[in-house]
Every structure is written in C-alpha cells, then in structure tokens.
Amino acid sequence: MKLLALETTDRIASVALLMDGKVFNETIDSGHRHAETLLLAVERLLAGHGLEPRDMDAFAVDIGPGSFTGVRIGVTTANAFGFANDKPVIAVNSLEALALPFVRDGGLCAAVIDARNGNGYAALYRGENCLIEPCACVLDEFLKELPEGCILTGTAAEDGAMPRAESVAIIARRREGRSAVSPLYLRQAQAERLWRERG
C-alpha cells in the first residue's frame, strides 16, 4: 500500500509517505504558511521515491482540531488529491495522532491541544480505545479529572508535542477512506465568535 498523509493543524506541518510498511517523512517548519509550502513538501517527498500523487492508493489527513486555517488547508488539499486521482481520503483527528506513540502497548494517554485563554481540545485513549471523545474543554477542569498514571501529551502538555504526519499515516492504514472528508471543528473560529458577539 502507498499512502500519502498530510498534517497541517499546527505551526510545524508535515507530510508522510507510507510504502511497503515503512514511513518516510518531510517536516515543514515555516510558521503557519502551509498554503505556500505544503505542495512543495509533497512534491519533494514523492519525487525522492520516484512517485507522483497518482501512484498513491489513498490519501490521509489530520482533520483537526487545531488551527482553523491549517485544518482547512490540509483537508482541502487531501480532498483535491483524492478527487483528481479517484482515490479514497482517510480522516484522522489530531488528538489520536498525538496519543499514538503512547498507546501502542495499551497505555493510557490524554492528548491536549492549547486553544488559548485556558481553553483547549482534549481526548483520552487507552490502547486503541477512545475513553473520552475529542471535545472542547477548559483545560484545568479536564486535567483534574484524569486518572492517576495517565500520560499527558500535546501543545497544552509539558512535552509541547504537535501531531505528526507519520502518526496520521500509521492510523490511516487501518481505516477505509471516503470520497472526501470534512474538518473536525469543536469550537467556532475566533472571527466567528467575535462576529456573533457584535451581532
């Protein structure tokens, strides 16, 4: 199986190629300019293996939560690749991608993403089971309810981890795709909230 995965939900984006059971990565550390850099990174990664998008069996993308603009860029690009090449698109959320390195052996992990002003996005996983579905939360309140011994990861945790396309690819290979996927928005964008408050 050949699968291209995109991750654009935070400041550092990445793309990954899963091929013959191995994963190859390209990291994009360009701030939030993913619209300018994502396709170039895809081209470099695939060209390095003598491949083009049409050679993929599927495309995968982190659908959020995360930066609203970043999520839209990744989802739109993955859907465009899928449509242009008549291949399925597979959705993976940011929180399960963050937790993956810690739950492979049945570990208990809470993934938390900073949404500013004490707010965040969070989920709790044990192995492949999701114990608390991705949600918008007040971070302090969520953290108080976590069981003892729970590993904490993400931009709102001490490790400051960001989702990686490698994890998106590994999760996606076990799932079936669709003709298109949609962003996972757990809160309104700041611009939308301000508009409603003024109205």
Side-chain angles (χ1 to χ4, degrees):
M1 180 184 193
K2 296 184 183 70
L3 181 147
L4 177 69
L6 312 179
E7 205 306 302
T8 59
T9 65
D10 213 307
R11 181 180 59 82
I12 298 178
S14 54
V15 296
L17 169 65
L18 186 149
M19 180 173 63
D20 300 328
K22 297 180 181 179
V23 182
F24 306 91
N25 301 286
E26 175 94 15
T27 300
I28 313 162
D29 190 357
S30 60
H32 283 282
R33 302 196 330 268
H34 304 330
E36 303 170 24
T37 56
L38 179 61
L39 291 178
L40 292 174
V42 168
E43 184 178 359
R44 282 195 303 270
L45 178 62
L46 294 184
H49 295 274
L51 299 170
E52 297 183 13
R54 66 186 178 191
D55 298 317
M56 299 299 104
D57 297 304
F59 300 92
V61 63
D62 184 341
I63 60 170
S67 157
F68 282 81
T69 301
V71 169
R72 283 193 293 267
I73 290 168
V75 168
T76 299
T77 303
N79 284 340
F81 276 137
F83 179 79
N85 297 283
D86 194 25
K87 298 293 172 62
V89 183
I90 304 167
V92 175
N93 77 64
S94 305
L95 297 162
E96 60 184 336
L98 280 167
L100 180 66
F102 304 99
V103 299
R104 288 177 172 169
D105 298 321
L108 182 65
C109 179
V112 286
I113 295 174
D114 184 8
R116 299 182 181 176
N117 301 318
N119 298 305
Y121 308 114
L124 180 64
Y125 300 89
R126 184 187 293 280
E128 295 184 1
N129 298 314
C130 183
L131 305 181
I132 299 177
E133 293 289 335
C135 61
C137 66
V138 176
L139 285 170
D140 286 345
E141 294 178 2
F142 179 84
L143 297 175
K144 286 177 185 176
E145 299 299 321
L146 292 177
E148 189 174 343
C150 180
I151 297 169
L152 198 62
T153 188
T155 57
E158 189 174 336
D159 67 3
M162 298 181 195
R164 295 172 50 85
E166 176 181 3
S167 294
V168 174
I170 292 169
I171 294 170
R173 69 181 173 183
R174 303 192 300 263
R175 295 184 177 169
E176 293 197 9
R178 305 170 60 182
S179 58
V181 299
S182 300
L184 175 61
Y185 292 141
L186 299 177
R187 298 173 66 229
Q188 291 179 324
Q190 183 178 10
E192 293 173 347
R193 293 196 303 274
L194 291 173
W195 177 263
R196 288 181 180 274
E197 289 170 5
R198 289 175 182 170

